[in-house]
C-alpha cells in the first residue's frame, strides 16, 4: 500500500429509516457490509481500507471476515462526522469516503476521487455523472450539481439546475450540447477540511436542501468534482438486495 494514496474509510451504521439493519442483511449467506468490503478489496487492492462503525455488532462481523474497523459514537449525525471521528485516531492526510451500502462501487469511482482530491486548491472532492432522462433530472431525490470551468462545484440542489430561461424541456439541454450532472454520494477530503467541517455549525443552505456538502460551500471551501461515465448502485430498500443475488 502506497503512503501517497488516500485511505478509504467506510462509515457504517445499523440505523436506517428506509431499511433497518440493512448492512447485516444476507445475500448468498454474506452480509451486505461484507459484499461492499469484498468489492473494495477487488477494485482497489492497493488502498488501505478501514470501516468506521457505530457499535460492536458491525465490528464483530468485520472482525470475523478479516477487515479493520474503528468503533465510533453511534449518535454521530452523518457519515462525514463518522469519517472524521475515525481519522482523528489514524491521522491520514487524505481520505476517501465510500458508503457501506455501495457493493457495486467501481475502480473508476475510486481513482476519479483520488484525482479530484489531489487538484490544487481542493479540500473536498466528489463525483458526478450526466443525467440520461428528463424524468431523472426532475426527480427531487436525485441531487444535481453545476460546475465552474475548472471542474469545481458551484452549487448542489434537489431542484433541477441549471434551468433554461426559454426552454423547460430536457431536449433543450441536448440541443445546447450540455448534459446536466447528477451528484454521486462518494467523497474525498483532506484531514484539515474534516477538522474544520466538524467544528462548523449546520449551514442555512444545508438545512434547507438537506445536503451536507452545501455546508462546505457556505464555508468557502472548494469541492473538486470528477465526471465519471457510470453511476453507483446503492442498496436503499429490501428489494434492492435482489441486485446482489446474481
Amino acid at each position: 500500500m502506497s503512503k501517497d494514496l488516500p485511505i478509504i474509510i467506510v462509515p457504517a451504521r445499523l440505523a436506517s429509516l428506509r431499511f433497518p439493519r440493512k448492512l447485516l442483511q444476507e445475500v448468498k449467506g454474506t452480509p451486505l457490509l461484507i459484499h461492499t468490503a469484498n468489492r473494495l478489496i477487488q477494485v482497489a487492492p492497493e488502498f488501505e481500507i478501514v470501516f468506521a462503525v457505530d457499535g460492536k455488532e458491525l465490528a464483530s462481523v468485520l472482525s470475523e471476515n478479516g477487515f479493520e474497523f474503528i468503533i465510533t459514537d453511534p449518535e454521530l449525525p452523518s457519515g462525514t462526522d463518522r469519517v472524521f471521528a475515525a481519522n482523528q485516531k489514524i491521522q491520514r492526510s487524505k481520505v476517501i469516503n465510500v458508503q457501506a451500502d455501495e457493493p457495486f462501487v467501481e475502480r473508476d469511482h475510486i481513482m476519479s476521487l483520488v484525482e479530484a482530491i489531489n487538484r490544487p486548491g481542493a479540500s473536498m472532492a466528489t463525483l458526478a455523472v450526466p443525467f440520461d432522462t428528463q424524468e431523472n433530472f426532475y426527480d427531487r431525490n436525485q441531487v444535481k450539481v453545476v460546475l465552474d470551468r475548472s471542474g469545481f462545484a458551484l452549487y448542489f440542489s434537489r431542484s433541477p439546475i441549471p434551468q433554461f430561461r426559454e426552454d423547460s424541456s430536457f431536449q433543450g439541454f441536448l440541443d445546447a450540447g450540455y448534459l446536466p450532472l447528477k451528484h454521486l454520494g462518494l467523497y474525498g477530503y483532506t484531514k484539515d477540511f474534516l477538522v474544520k467541517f466538524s467544528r462548523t455549525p449546520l449551514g442555512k443552505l444545508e438545512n434547507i436542501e438537506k445536503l451536507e456538502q452545501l455546508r462546505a460551500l457556505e464555508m468557502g471551501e472548494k469541492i473538486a468534482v470528477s465526471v465519471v461515465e457510470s453511476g453507483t448502485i446503492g442498496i436503499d430498500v429490501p428489494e434492492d438486495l435482489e441486485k446482489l443475488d446474481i
Side-chain angles (χ1 to χ4, degrees), residues 115-150:
E115 179 275 323
I117 197 59
N118 283 333
R119 288 184 206 167
S123 53
M124 182 176 177
T126 193
L127 303 179
V129 65
F131 276 102
D132 54 358
T133 68
Q134 180 165 311
E135 179 183 6
N136 287 335
F137 180 56
Y138 283 95
D139 182 350
R140 293 177 61 83
N141 292 316
Q142 300 193 41
V143 177
K144 297 84 187 173
V145 58
V146 290
L147 311 181
D148 67 15
R149 292 182 178 180
S150 299

Side-chain angles (χ1 to χ4, degrees), residues 14-196:
L14 273 180
S16 173
L17 293 177
R18 286 189 291 176
F19 190 177
R21 299 177 61 81
K22 68 177 174 179
L23 294 182
L24 294 182
Q25 296 297 312
E26 293 190 356
V27 176
K28 295 183 176 179
T30 299
L32 171 59
L33 179 62
I34 302 305
H35 279 285
T36 300
N38 287 336
R39 177 69 170 183
L40 286 169
I41 292 295
Q42 176 187 354
V43 302
E46 70 270 44
F47 287 77
E48 182 181 4
I49 301 168
V50 174
F51 289 77
V53 301
D54 67 349
K56 293 182 179 179
E57 200 166 357
L58 292 178
S60 176
V61 171
L62 290 164
S63 178
E64 290 171 2
N65 288 273
F67 293 100
E68 294 185 40
F69 61 87
I70 294 172
I71 296 179
T72 57
D73 184 349
E75 301 302 320
L76 290 173
S78 73
T80 302
D81 292 299
R82 204 168 299 285
V83 169
F84 165 70
N87 201 48
Q88 282 290 92
K89 298 182 179 180
I90 55 181
Q91 293 289 305
R92 300 298 190 270
S93 61
K94 292 181 181 178
V95 175
I96 299 296
N97 173 356
V98 177
Q99 303 301 315
D101 59 358
E102 295 276 2
F104 297 102
V105 64
E106 299 178 7
R107 180 172 179 81
D108 181 50
H109 298 145
I110 304 296
M111 302 312 295
S112 294
L113 282 171
V114 173
E115 179 275 323
I117 197 59
N118 283 333
R119 288 184 206 167
S123 53
M124 182 176 177
T126 193
L127 303 179
V129 65
F131 276 102
D132 54 358
T133 68
Q134 180 165 311
E135 179 183 6
N136 287 335
F137 180 56
Y138 283 95
D139 182 350
R140 293 177 61 83
N141 292 316
Q142 300 193 41
V143 177
K144 297 84 187 173
V145 58
V146 290
L147 311 181
D148 67 15
R149 292 182 178 180
S150 299
F152 288 88
L154 290 170
Y155 193 68
F156 298 83
S157 182
R158 297 186 183 279
S159 298
I161 56 172
Q163 281 277 16
F164 267 107
R165 179 177 175 180
E166 291 86 9
D167 190 343
S168 62
S169 73
F170 194 73
Q171 185 61 41
F173 287 112
L174 303 180
D175 294 341
Y178 177 92
L179 286 177
L181 295 174
K182 173 184 176 180
H183 174 237
L184 304 180
L186 293 89
Y187 298 99
Y189 319 97
T190 65
K191 179 179 71 172
D192 291 342
F193 168 80
L194 284 171
V195 172
K196 188 184 299 185

